[in-house]
């Protein structure tokens, strides 16, 4: 599989928006959100990813096909605001490779958060973060804090 992580340009915003809809649909299992009057999940800050210097949108491709996205805030600490891999590409190393590449792009302190009920995401991040991390739990979230680039 040829896996690529590409910075989403403004012309890619419709692809990011559509993939984000699929992500939010999957995530509604945990946050209970409903679609709006237009049948869509709103994402308040999406347009800011092309205007704010500390927000960075990425798309994932597998063999030339769209496979997922990441929305990163560069911090410090950097924050994995959203991360999504299409179901077809899960458990094939796509997410691991994408996370590794993104951490490499933003060396330094990081925070990665998961909804507490999303145990699959927590299991994924525990495997994907290849740096020593501190994990914190609250009633709502599980959070890993680490420094990318520290071996």
């Amino acid at each position: 599989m040829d896996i690529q992580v590409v910075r989403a340009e403004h012309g890619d915003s419709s692809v990011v928006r559509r993939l984000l809809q699929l992500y939010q649909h999957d995530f509604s299992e945990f946050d209970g959100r409903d679609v709006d009057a237009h049948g869509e999940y709103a994402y308040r800050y999406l347009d800011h990813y092309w205007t704010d210097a500390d927000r960075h949108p990425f798309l994932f491709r597998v063999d030339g096909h769209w496979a997922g996205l990441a929305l990163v805030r560069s911090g410090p600490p950097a924050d994995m605001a959203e991360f999504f891999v299409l179901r077809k590409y899960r458990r094939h190393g796509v997410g691991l490779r994408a996370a590794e590449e993104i951490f490499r792009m933003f060396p330094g302190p990081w925070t990665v958060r998961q909804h507490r009920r999303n145990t699959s995401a927590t299991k994924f991040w525990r495997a994907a973060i290849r740096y020593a991390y501190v994990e914190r739990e609250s009633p709502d979230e599980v959070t890993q804090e680490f420094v990318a680039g520290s071996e």
Side-chain angles (χ1 to χ4, degrees), residues 11-67:
D12 300 318
S13 64
S14 62
V15 175
V16 173
R17 190 175 307 278
R18 287 183 188 106
L19 289 172
L20 196 56
Q21 289 295 302
L22 297 171
Y23 165 73
Q24 291 178 288
H25 171 263
D26 281 2
F27 202 78
S28 69
E29 171 183 359
F30 305 109
D31 68 9
R33 288 184 54 208
D34 287 309
V35 295
D36 64 17
H38 303 285
E40 297 178 338
Y41 293 97
Y43 193 85
R44 174 189 281 180
Y45 300 106
L46 183 59
D47 292 334
H48 297 257
Y49 279 87
W50 287 276
T51 59
D52 293 358
D54 66 336
R55 294 180 190 260
H56 309 275
F58 295 95
L59 288 165
F60 313 152
R61 284 188 178 273
V62 174
D63 296 331
H65 302 283
W66 297 124

Side-chain angles (χ1 to χ4, degrees), residues 121-133:
T122 299
K123 182 178 178 183
F124 167 79
W125 286 112
R126 286 174 177 161
I129 299 169
R130 307 229 170 131
Y131 307 97
Y133 61 84

